[in-house]
Amino acid sequence: MAKPDNREDNVPRIQRAISNTIRNMREAEEYLDEHADEIGDDERKRIEAKNERRRESLEALRSEVRDEAKDRCRRDG
């Protein structure tokens, strides 16, 4: 039998993912700032591309939080 969909922890879980993603972006940017003269162009581009994917993920995660809030209003309203 399928487990019922429990969405109660979705927002906190998504918010943790947002916080972790922001932290990882900042750490990558700090790494680039501190080691720009030590790393190759390929590594710099790889890190910048990863941060761009993180930005896209943040947009999706924030959209998910908004969807969860709308759903909660519909259920509670």
Side-chain angles (χ1 to χ4, degrees):
M1 181 171 200
K3 187 175 178 182
D5 185 22
N6 181 358
R7 300 170 69 120
E8 291 303 316
D9 70 337
N10 281 2
V11 171
R13 181 185 53 78
I14 296 167
Q15 288 174 332
R16 279 192 306 276
I18 289 170
S19 294
N20 291 338
T21 301
I22 291 170
R23 186 186 70 244
N24 290 337
M25 279 179 51
R26 288 182 180 153
E27 288 176 1
E29 289 169 357
E30 289 171 7
Y31 176 82
L32 286 176
D33 288 344
E34 292 173 13
H35 302 284
D37 56 341
E38 302 168 16
I39 62 175
D41 197 42
D42 287 343
E43 184 176 0
R44 180 186 54 78
K45 287 180 181 178
R46 183 185 58 78
I47 293 169
E48 289 173 347
K50 189 161 191 169
N51 268 1
E52 183 57 34
R53 291 190 300 275
R54 286 175 172 140
R55 283 183 198 86
E56 293 167 2
S57 293
L58 283 173
E59 289 178 32
L61 289 167
R62 289 175 175 144
S63 176
E64 216 175 316
V65 168
R66 286 189 295 273
D67 290 346
E68 288 294 325
K70 287 178 189 175
D71 183 66
R72 181 167 285 174
C73 286
R74 280 194 297 270
R75 285 184 287 141
D76 294 346

